[in-house]
Short mmCIF file of all heavy atoms in Angstrom, two decimals:
data_model
loop_
_atom_site.label_atom_id
_atom_site.label_comp_id
_atom_site.label_asym_id
_atom_site.label_seq_id
_atom_site.Cartn_x
_atom_site.Cartn_y
_atom_site.Cartn_z
N PRO V 1444 -17.71 4.94 13.58
CA PRO V 1444 -17.73 3.90 12.48
C PRO V 1444 -17.04 4.41 11.17
O PRO V 1444 -16.34 3.59 10.51
CB PRO V 1444 -19.22 3.71 12.18
CG PRO V 1444 -19.86 4.10 13.46
CD PRO V 1444 -18.97 5.11 14.09
N LEU V 1445 -17.21 5.69 10.83
CA LEU V 1445 -16.50 6.19 9.65
C LEU V 1445 -15.02 6.26 9.88
O LEU V 1445 -14.19 5.97 8.92
CB LEU V 1445 -16.97 7.57 9.40
CG LEU V 1445 -18.33 7.59 8.57
CD1 LEU V 1445 -18.78 9.08 8.35
CD2 LEU V 1445 -18.21 6.94 7.25
N GLU V 1446 -14.62 6.63 11.08
CA GLU V 1446 -13.13 6.71 11.40
C GLU V 1446 -12.57 5.33 11.19
O GLU V 1446 -11.45 5.07 10.68
CB GLU V 1446 -12.90 7.25 12.74
CG GLU V 1446 -13.21 8.78 12.79
CD GLU V 1446 -13.23 9.32 14.17
OE1 GLU V 1446 -13.00 8.52 15.17
OE2 GLU V 1446 -13.46 10.50 14.39
N GLU V 1447 -13.27 4.28 11.78
CA GLU V 1447 -12.76 2.88 11.74
C GLU V 1447 -12.69 2.49 10.29
O GLU V 1447 -11.69 1.68 9.93
CB GLU V 1447 -13.62 1.93 12.48
CG GLU V 1447 -13.50 2.15 14.02
CD GLU V 1447 -14.45 1.42 14.94
OE1 GLU V 1447 -15.40 0.80 14.40
OE2 GLU V 1447 -14.25 1.44 16.24
N LEU V 1448 -13.75 2.80 9.56
CA LEU V 1448 -13.74 2.40 8.10
C LEU V 1448 -12.52 3.07 7.36
O LEU V 1448 -11.85 2.35 6.60
CB LEU V 1448 -15.02 2.79 7.40
CG LEU V 1448 -15.13 2.49 5.92
CD1 LEU V 1448 -15.01 1.05 5.61
CD2 LEU V 1448 -16.38 3.17 5.31
N CYS V 1449 -12.30 4.37 7.67
CA CYS V 1449 -11.13 4.92 6.95
C CYS V 1449 -9.78 4.22 7.29
O CYS V 1449 -8.98 4.00 6.56
CB CYS V 1449 -11.01 6.38 7.39
SG CYS V 1449 -12.41 7.41 6.69
N GLN V 1450 -9.66 3.94 8.62
CA GLN V 1450 -8.46 3.35 9.13
C GLN V 1450 -8.29 1.96 8.45
O GLN V 1450 -7.15 1.56 8.08
CB GLN V 1450 -8.39 3.27 10.54
CG GLN V 1450 -7.08 2.86 11.21
CD GLN V 1450 -5.95 3.88 10.81
OE1 GLN V 1450 -6.24 5.08 10.79
NE2 GLN V 1450 -4.83 3.40 10.45
N ASP V 1451 -9.42 1.22 8.27
CA ASP V 1451 -9.41 -0.07 7.73
C ASP V 1451 -8.89 -0.11 6.23
O ASP V 1451 -8.08 -0.77 5.76
CB ASP V 1451 -10.76 -0.87 7.80
CG ASP V 1451 -10.98 -1.22 9.20
OD1 ASP V 1451 -10.13 -1.30 10.04
OD2 ASP V 1451 -12.29 -1.58 9.43
N ILE V 1452 -9.41 0.98 5.52
CA ILE V 1452 -9.07 1.19 4.21
C ILE V 1452 -7.51 1.55 4.06
O ILE V 1452 -6.86 0.99 3.26
CB ILE V 1452 -9.89 2.29 3.50
CG1 ILE V 1452 -11.37 1.75 3.37
CG2 ILE V 1452 -9.27 2.69 2.18
CD1 ILE V 1452 -12.32 2.82 2.94
N ILE V 1453 -7.13 2.44 4.89
CA ILE V 1453 -5.68 2.73 4.96
C ILE V 1453 -4.84 1.69 5.24
O ILE V 1453 -3.74 1.46 4.55
CB ILE V 1453 -5.49 3.90 6.03
CG1 ILE V 1453 -6.00 5.21 5.38
CG2 ILE V 1453 -3.91 4.08 6.29
CD1 ILE V 1453 -6.08 6.37 6.49
N GLU V 1454 -5.20 0.85 6.19
CA GLU V 1454 -4.35 -0.37 6.58
C GLU V 1454 -4.35 -1.39 5.53
O GLU V 1454 -3.54 -2.33 5.54
CB GLU V 1454 -4.83 -0.92 7.90
CG GLU V 1454 -4.46 0.08 9.02
CD GLU V 1454 -4.94 -0.38 10.38
OE1 GLU V 1454 -5.67 -1.41 10.53
OE2 GLU V 1454 -4.61 0.30 11.44
N SER V 1455 -5.33 -1.41 4.61
CA SER V 1455 -5.46 -2.39 3.58
C SER V 1455 -4.53 -2.08 2.29
O SER V 1455 -4.43 -2.89 1.36
CB SER V 1455 -6.91 -2.64 3.15
OG SER V 1455 -7.37 -1.51 2.35
N VAL V 1456 -4.04 -0.88 2.30
CA VAL V 1456 -3.27 -0.35 1.09
C VAL V 1456 -1.99 -1.20 1.06
O VAL V 1456 -1.19 -1.33 2.03
CB VAL V 1456 -2.99 1.10 1.16
CG1 VAL V 1456 -2.02 1.54 0.14
CG2 VAL V 1456 -4.21 1.93 1.11
N ARG V 1457 -1.71 -1.70 -0.12
CA ARG V 1457 -0.44 -2.45 -0.37
C ARG V 1457 0.18 -1.82 -1.66
O ARG V 1457 -0.41 -1.53 -2.66
CB ARG V 1457 -0.66 -3.90 -0.70
CG ARG V 1457 -1.37 -4.70 0.34
CD ARG V 1457 -0.65 -4.92 1.56
NE ARG V 1457 -1.24 -5.69 2.62
CZ ARG V 1457 -1.97 -5.27 3.63
NH1 ARG V 1457 -2.21 -3.89 3.73
NH2 ARG V 1457 -2.55 -6.02 4.46
N LEU V 1458 1.51 -1.69 -1.58
CA LEU V 1458 2.18 -1.13 -2.71
C LEU V 1458 3.10 -2.14 -3.28
O LEU V 1458 3.79 -2.90 -2.55
CB LEU V 1458 3.06 0.10 -2.25
CG LEU V 1458 2.35 1.41 -1.91
CD1 LEU V 1458 3.40 2.43 -1.50
CD2 LEU V 1458 1.50 1.94 -3.01
N GLU V 1459 3.16 -2.25 -4.51
CA GLU V 1459 4.20 -3.11 -5.18
C GLU V 1459 5.12 -2.24 -6.03
O GLU V 1459 4.72 -1.25 -6.67
CB GLU V 1459 3.49 -4.14 -6.07
CG GLU V 1459 2.73 -5.12 -5.29
CD GLU V 1459 2.02 -6.20 -6.17
OE1 GLU V 1459 2.57 -6.46 -7.24
OE2 GLU V 1459 1.10 -6.83 -5.74
N LEU V 1460 6.40 -2.69 -6.08
CA LEU V 1460 7.31 -1.88 -6.93
C LEU V 1460 7.00 -1.98 -8.33
O LEU V 1460 6.60 -3.10 -8.80
CB LEU V 1460 8.78 -2.45 -6.61
CG LEU V 1460 9.32 -2.21 -5.25
CD1 LEU V 1460 10.65 -2.80 -5.00
CD2 LEU V 1460 9.39 -0.68 -4.84
N SER V 1461 7.18 -0.99 -9.09
CA SER V 1461 6.90 -1.06 -10.48
C SER V 1461 8.02 -1.75 -11.22
O SER V 1461 9.16 -1.96 -10.49
CB SER V 1461 6.89 0.48 -11.03
OG SER V 1461 8.23 1.06 -10.92
N PRO V 1462 7.92 -2.15 -12.46
CA PRO V 1462 9.11 -2.89 -13.00
C PRO V 1462 10.36 -2.02 -13.04
O PRO V 1462 11.54 -2.63 -12.76
CB PRO V 1462 8.57 -3.15 -14.54
CG PRO V 1462 7.07 -3.23 -14.37
CD PRO V 1462 6.77 -2.23 -13.30
N SER V 1463 10.29 -0.78 -13.27
CA SER V 1463 11.55 0.03 -13.34
C SER V 1463 12.05 0.16 -11.93
O SER V 1463 13.34 0.10 -11.73
CB SER V 1463 11.29 1.41 -13.88
OG SER V 1463 10.26 2.23 -13.12
N ALA V 1464 11.27 0.18 -10.85
CA ALA V 1464 11.77 0.37 -9.54
C ALA V 1464 12.30 -0.95 -9.07
O ALA V 1464 13.39 -1.02 -8.39
CB ALA V 1464 10.60 0.71 -8.56
N LYS V 1465 11.72 -2.09 -9.56
CA LYS V 1465 12.38 -3.40 -9.27
C LYS V 1465 13.68 -3.60 -9.83
O LYS V 1465 14.67 -4.03 -9.24
CB LYS V 1465 11.44 -4.52 -9.74
CG LYS V 1465 10.23 -4.79 -8.92
CD LYS V 1465 9.41 -5.98 -9.48
CE LYS V 1465 8.15 -6.09 -8.70
NZ LYS V 1465 7.30 -7.19 -9.18
N GLN V 1466 13.76 -3.13 -11.07
CA GLN V 1466 14.96 -3.11 -11.79
C GLN V 1466 16.15 -2.19 -11.02
O GLN V 1466 17.29 -2.73 -10.78
CB GLN V 1466 14.95 -2.70 -13.24
CG GLN V 1466 16.24 -2.81 -14.02
CD GLN V 1466 16.05 -2.34 -15.44
OE1 GLN V 1466 14.98 -1.88 -15.80
NE2 GLN V 1466 17.08 -2.34 -16.25
N ASP V 1467 15.72 -1.09 -10.70
CA ASP V 1467 16.62 -0.15 -9.89
C ASP V 1467 17.15 -0.83 -8.63
O ASP V 1467 18.26 -0.84 -8.27
CB ASP V 1467 15.99 1.04 -9.58
CG ASP V 1467 15.75 2.02 -10.78
OD1 ASP V 1467 16.49 1.74 -11.87
OD2 ASP V 1467 15.01 2.96 -10.69
N PHE V 1468 16.11 -1.56 -7.87
CA PHE V 1468 16.37 -2.14 -6.61
C PHE V 1468 17.45 -3.23 -6.84
O PHE V 1468 18.36 -3.42 -6.09
CB PHE V 1468 15.09 -2.67 -5.96
CG PHE V 1468 15.34 -3.48 -4.75
CD1 PHE V 1468 15.72 -2.91 -3.62
CD2 PHE V 1468 15.15 -4.83 -4.80
CE1 PHE V 1468 15.87 -3.66 -2.40
CE2 PHE V 1468 15.37 -5.55 -3.65
CZ PHE V 1468 15.75 -4.90 -2.39
N GLU V 1469 17.17 -4.07 -7.85
CA GLU V 1469 17.99 -5.21 -8.08
C GLU V 1469 19.42 -4.75 -8.49
O GLU V 1469 20.41 -5.37 -8.10
CB GLU V 1469 17.44 -6.12 -9.22
CG GLU V 1469 16.17 -6.85 -8.76
CD GLU V 1469 15.34 -7.49 -9.90
OE1 GLU V 1469 15.79 -7.33 -11.09
OE2 GLU V 1469 14.38 -8.14 -9.59
#
């Protein structure tokens, strides 16, 4: 149960580019 909870938390992580990273990307 703890391993599944950890994996669920890991899989829920979402990253968004920061404004400076978005500008660099563009």
Side-chain angles (χ1 to χ4, degrees):
L1445 279 177
E1446 291 168 359
E1447 289 173 355
L1448 176 61
C1449 291
Q1450 193 60 41
D1451 289 346
I1452 292 169
I1453 288 170
E1454 290 175 357
S1455 72
V1456 171
R1457 303 288 184 269
L1458 291 180
E1459 292 187 21
L1460 295 176
S1461 67
S1463 64
K1465 282 182 187 178
Q1466 183 179 359
D1467 290 346
F1468 174 73
E1469 289 167 0

